[in-house]
Amino acid sequence: MADVADPADAPAVPPVPTPDEEGAPPAPDDIDIDGAGTPDAEADALDPDPGPDAAFERRKEQVEREEDDRGYDDLRRVHQLVNNNFYGVVDASGAAFGFGTLSSPGLAPGTIEPEERDRALRFYLPPRPCFDEAFGHLTEAALVVLTGPDNCGRGAGSLALLRRILGDGAKLRSLSPANALAELAASRDLKPGQGYVILDYVGELRPESVQAYEIGRLSEELRRKGSYLVITAGESARRRLALRDHCVPWQAPDPVELFDHCRGKLPAADLAPDTEKELLERVGEQRRPADVVAAAVALSREGPATALDTLRDRRRELVQQWFAERPSADDLLALAALAFLEGIPERTFEKESAALVAHVRNWERSGETPVAEPDGTAGAPLTAPVAGQSRARWRARAVGLVTTEHRPGPSRDAGRSERRLVFTSPRVRELVIAELHDLYGYELWYPLRQWLGDLALLGDLDTRTEVARGVALLARYALVEVDENLLKVWSEGITSQRVTAALTLGFMCDVEHLAPQALNIVQGWLDNNGPGRAVTAAMALTGRLGSLYRLQTLNWLWFLTHRGERIAFSARRSLVLLLQTAEHDPERVLFTLRYVRTVIAGAVPGTRERSIALRTAVQLLEAARLEASEPITAALLRTVPHGARHLGSLWADVLHSSNRSRAVGALCRTLVQLRDDPSVTGAVRELGEAMRDAMTPQQWAALCRHLSIALNHPDYAIPGTHQLAQVLVGSLRGRTPAPSRRSLASLISTPPFPSARGGRSK
């Protein structure tokens, strides 16, 4: 899906032309690279005179920044281990039917390509009569809201409605689910004859009366332009006064009818009468269209046995049977602990599991109801005999649910493996948490929440990462509890808690209907809720949220760079981390670089806004790769088409400011890293062309002088670097104005000074 700037996605940002259309960017005029002109306003704008009473505040800010640094170090380590590209790790178990194994079209704001829509609707069967009712409402008001439970096919229904009313050739766009209606209603950029969808709408922040007015105005504008908007939302949307006149209750199609419909589109499979009868009985029990489609595909490709296994859901039956046998308190707490700590070293798990037992004992001693069986009868008392062979007991306590594996540890422990308890499949972990939530009440969950709070506060990074995964799974069934009892507390706590909260929101995005909820939570933290929560929000936006909601994330982080220095520092770190995690996603890299170019071009020279933009740009150019110490710019020049043109423009902007020494250093480090790679010569030449296009001849000559001085530093005076620098500065030799085409290259090849200032950096 193309994710491009759209006024409905987030606050408007002037677009930068695409690589094929862009011209030379305007030459920045903050100051010339050689120091002539007006000095950059950064020092005065960002560091005004603090006054005589600022020493204490500065010390406090320093402590807070060190804490935030540790938090970003933790995030970086987690992102090194977890693939941050959403399309590579999406959990499609909750997808609307027909969407296959990839994320649903429209989940991320942007253009919905025709092939994505057709893939989503390959097996589509319109549910009656709600489809006809929604189509009639859409025809009349150009706006309809499909409400109903998750996984009932609302997303596919929205695309089917737009395809029917606009035809196969219509352009479709997905809009952000967070407060999008107010922004879209105020926008003047609605395009004629276009279809819009908002999947899993989470509500507006404005008063109901304002919403009603804006929604009415939006409907009129859509009708005037012949465009249409379909929104999907939970059942609670029908209770919102502003939307109630536009809501249509949605339901899944009859499962047997859908199954027959799918079989008609797939190669036929032979079925014995008894097998067909059992298969149809199982199909009739299904409530999710996705499961019906999966069974039909399995029948066609692999036969009736596989289709029956798909429908029986053996793992669910196994988990439900385990809980139906009334496990003892010892076994129950051990499995509950594993649900939130899967895969950590067994020795660590045992320690933390014992801590959960201690929390439960303290809860019971307080006089409250002890941990009990699901029907309220007391379970067996907790025991902890030293000679109880607790490790061996796992062979009998959770047969078919839990197993042991030897896995290597991360980073320094990568060469050493140790035993870890894991579920037999990721789905078993989810089902265990679902059963815990459905069967047990306050007497279990109160001490369990206290225990999770301690882990978020004091646990090591691996432990806190698994806690975040488990809490994200819990949010599928108890989102309000997770938000109010855990995330709100952690988001304004110390660094370890804030990192755990940020990771939880990222893992929530593995489920499509939770991604908009995670976005809404972050938006709430940004809305004047204190610096702690703002920093946590900036951290959360570096993960899957940032890859899904690209424009909105960049707009929010850019907004945060203008707040207090602690928040601004975190926002810049988050922007850097976004670029680092996007290294293998060229489209997202280009989107980020174009955005930064846009805000620099739109900032007035000499203002605080431009100083902030330049400071952000230089941090991007200085950043290292996520998984290596080499500059990220070197990796992008190797792998991202047209990346050199955007990087060259950013370098030219920064070189014209008081950040030029840092920019020259970043450029030198990039050349050093690329010196032995012949395949990158063309990209380096393109980089030089982009920089030269943004400079006057005097500025270009000044860059050559500064680069020549810098390349004589011991860290950069490495064979091959000068030759690559000649490619950079000599790239336009045939078009350089007459001061001298030859002299530019000679400035690089002939050192003007015997040595450079500064010692070797360590």
Side-chain angles (χ1 to χ4, degrees):
M1 178 182 297
D3 190 355
V4 295
D6 187 280
D9 291 342
V13 174
V16 173
T18 61
D20 295 331
E21 300 172 343
E22 65 185 17
D29 52 2
D30 291 37
I31 64 170
D32 292 336
I33 189 172
D34 56 355
T38 305
D40 192 290
E42 180 176 355
D44 292 334
L46 296 180
D47 296 304
D49 183 5
D53 299 325
F56 172 78
E57 290 298 327
R58 286 197 169 188
R59 286 195 296 271
K60 178 182 176 182
E61 289 178 2
Q62 182 63 29
V63 171
E64 290 173 340
R65 178 171 296 187
E66 291 173 358
E67 286 287 322
D68 295 340
D69 279 340
R70 284 192 286 271
Y72 276 96
D73 289 342
D74 283 350
L75 287 175
R76 181 186 175 97
R77 287 174 56 195
V78 173
H79 288 319
Q80 287 174 342
L81 300 174
V82 179
N83 186 350
N84 192 47
N85 295 324
F86 182 84
Y87 56 80
V89 295
V90 63
D91 178 359
S93 62
F97 72 99
F99 287 169
T101 58
L102 299 177
S103 60
S104 299
L107 179 61
T111 301
I112 301 176
E113 300 297 340
E115 55 270 21
E116 293 179 289
R117 180 203 60 199
D118 294 342
R119 172 171 58 84
L121 300 178
R122 178 187 177 191
F123 299 112
Y124 189 72
L125 178 66
R128 310 290 181 182
C130 59
F131 184 90
D132 295 331
E133 181 183 353
F135 182 77
H137 198 106
L138 185 63
T139 303
E140 179 181 352
L143 168 66
V144 68
V145 182
L146 310 182
T147 64
D150 295 324
N151 305 317
C152 69
R154 300 176 318 209
S158 67
L159 300 181
L161 286 167
L162 290 173
R163 182 175 68 176
R164 178 173 173 182
I165 203 166
L166 289 171
D168 288 334
K171 295 182 179 180
L172 304 184
R173 282 192 58 82
S174 173
L175 309 178
S176 168
N179 212 29
L181 293 186
E183 296 166 4
L184 186 59
S187 172
R188 298 180 179 179
D189 297 322
L190 283 174
K191 297 178 176 59
Q194 184 158 327
Y196 298 92
V197 297
I198 300 177
L199 299 185
D200 298 307
Y201 175 66
V202 294
E204 303 284 334
L205 298 179
R206 301 188 180 191
E208 291 280 0
S209 59
V210 178
Q211 293 179 45
Y213 170 75
E214 290 172 339
I215 291 171
R217 187 156 57 93
L218 174 59
S219 177
E220 293 178 3
E221 185 69 10
L222 288 167
R223 287 198 301 267
R224 188 177 69 83
K225 293 192 173 182
S227 297
Y228 298 89
L229 170 64
V230 181
I231 302 169
T232 70
E235 294 176 305
S236 61
R238 281 181 288 173
R239 295 193 296 269
R240 298 177 190 147
L241 296 177
L243 287 174
R244 65 181 181 183
D245 294 336
H246 299 279
C247 290
V248 173
W250 199 255
Q251 62 185 18
D254 179 82
V256 176
E257 292 181 7
L258 176 60
F259 187 71
D260 291 339
H261 175 75
C262 294
R263 290 180 65 186
K265 293 180 172 292
L266 291 165
D270 294 331
L271 279 176
D274 291 344
T275 304
E276 184 174 17
K277 180 180 178 181
E278 181 183 1
L279 193 59
L280 292 178
E281 288 177 353
R282 291 282 184 176
V283 166
E285 297 171 355
Q286 304 305 308
R287 294 295 175 264
R288 299 195 326 160
D291 296 334
V292 178
V293 173
V297 173
L299 173 64
S300 176
R301 294 178 180 176
E302 303 178 52
T306 303
L308 282 170
D309 285 341
T310 301
L311 292 170
R312 285 175 182 143
D313 199 349
R314 301 271 186 197
R315 294 187 179 94
R316 181 183 294 277
E317 293 177 355
L318 193 61
V319 171
Q320 290 177 341
Q321 180 182 357
W322 189 88
F323 281 96
E325 293 176 355
R326 308 287 181 90
S328 68
D330 285 336
D331 290 349
L332 173 66
L333 293 180
L335 195 68
L338 188 62
F340 293 93
L341 293 178
E342 181 188 17
I344 69 172
E346 190 172 35
R347 55 191 170 88
T348 306
F349 171 76
E350 290 172 341
K351 180 186 71 172
E352 304 300 355
S353 182
L356 175 58
V357 171
H359 273 283
V360 172
R361 282 176 174 159
N362 292 335
W363 172 241
E364 293 175 349
R365 288 169 185 161
S366 69
E368 301 290 343
T369 305
V371 173
E373 301 298 339
D375 63 357
T377 60
L382 294 173
T383 59
V386 175
Q389 297 184 350
S390 60
R391 290 187 177 178
R393 187 173 175 180
W394 277 105
R395 300 170 189 167
R397 89 183 339 157
V399 177
L401 302 182
V402 179
T403 186
T404 58
E405 293 181 359
H406 279 77
R407 295 180 181 176
S411 60
R412 70 181 69 180
D413 295 326
R416 299 187 298 175
S417 64
E418 56 182 316
R419 197 163 74 162
R420 302 164 189 262
L421 289 167
V422 296
F423 289 103
T424 51
S425 81
R427 179 158 168 74
V428 170
R429 184 180 187 181
E430 175 192 347
L431 291 170
V432 166
I433 290 179
E435 290 296 307
L436 288 171
H437 176 261
D438 288 342
L439 298 177
Y440 296 90
Y442 193 71
E443 68 278 356
L444 172 63
W445 282 103
Y446 177 79
L448 194 56
R449 285 198 302 266
Q450 298 295 108
W451 175 70
L452 290 172
D454 286 351
L455 294 178
L457 181 69
L458 302 172
D460 60 34
L461 180 59
D462 292 339
T463 297
R464 288 184 281 119
T465 301
E466 287 307 312
V467 166
R469 291 184 198 274
V471 173
L473 290 174
L474 178 60
R476 304 184 185 192
Y477 311 99
L479 175 62
V480 176
E481 295 177 29
V482 165
D483 184 17
E484 293 185 356
N485 296 323
L486 298 175
L487 294 180
K488 281 187 178 178
V489 177
W490 297 347
S491 64
E492 59 179 358
I494 67 172
T495 298
S496 58
Q497 293 172 300
R498 289 189 282 112
V499 169
T500 308
L503 293 175
T504 300
L505 292 176
F507 293 133
M508 283 170 59
C509 293
D510 286 351
V511 179
E512 294 178 357
H513 73 269
L514 284 184
Q517 298 290 350
L519 183 69
N520 197 44
I521 290 172
V522 168
Q523 186 177 19
W525 291 348
L526 292 171
D527 189 23
N528 294 322
N529 270 312
R533 284 201 172 118
V535 171
T536 308
M539 290 179 171
L541 291 172
T542 64
R544 290 182 177 87
L545 278 172
S547 63
L548 273 175
Y549 304 107
R550 301 176 187 179
L551 180 60
Q552 198 153 22
T553 291
L554 291 171
N555 278 331
W556 282 346
L557 290 177
W558 177 244
F559 163 73
L560 291 179
T561 61
H562 292 70
R563 291 183 59 180
E565 184 55 25
R566 179 193 177 192
I567 298 175
F569 177 80
S570 295
R572 292 193 296 270
R573 288 288 298 269
S574 291
L575 286 167
V576 169
L577 197 49
L578 274 177
L579 184 64
Q580 291 170 323
T581 56
E583 178 185 338
H584 303 294
D585 185 352
E587 181 185 351
R588 190 149 62 97
V589 168
L590 293 176
F591 188 85
T592 303
L593 296 178
R594 282 199 298 267
Y595 185 93
V596 179
R597 287 186 58 191
T598 297
V599 295
I600 292 176
V604 178
T607 63
R608 180 175 183 269
E609 183 178 7
R610 185 172 179 88
S611 298
I612 291 171
L614 293 171
R615 175 181 284 194
T616 301
V618 76
Q619 285 189 231
L620 293 175
L621 296 174
E622 289 179 323
R625 294 180 60 195
L626 190 63
E627 299 178 359
S629 58
E630 70 176 82
I632 183 68
T633 49
L636 300 183
L637 287 171
R638 288 193 189 100
T639 61
V640 178
H642 307 296
R645 302 181 69 178
H646 294 289
L647 289 172
S649 177
L650 288 181
W651 247 307
D653 288 331
V654 177
L655 285 165
H656 298 164
S657 73
S658 61
N659 298 288
R660 71 178 173 279
S661 61
R662 294 170 61 185
V664 170
L667 183 59
C668 290
R669 288 190 293 274
T670 300
L671 295 175
V672 168
Q673 189 64 43
L674 298 175
R675 68 190 186 281
D676 296 326
D677 188 353
S679 65
V680 83
T681 302
V684 173
R685 182 175 294 110
E686 186 180 2
L687 178 69
E689 291 175 357
M691 294 170 64
R692 176 64 182 87
D693 283 344
M695 296 183 180
T696 65
Q698 293 78 14
Q699 292 169 340
W700 183 246
L703 168 63
C704 294
R705 290 196 296 272
H706 284 278
L707 191 59
S708 177
I709 295 171
L711 287 175
N712 283 281
H713 190 283
D715 285 345
Y716 310 139
I718 302 173
T721 307
H722 281 75
Q723 288 81 351
L724 195 58
Q726 289 179 9
V727 173
L728 179 80
V729 302
S731 55
L732 296 185
R733 186 176 300 176
R735 289 157 39 197
T736 301
S740 64
R741 297 175 296 190
R742 186 177 304 172
S743 63
L744 296 181
S746 66
L747 284 172
I748 294 297
S749 58
T750 305
F753 299 99
S755 62
R757 292 181 295 173
R760 180 185 296 269
S761 60
K762 297 294 185 183

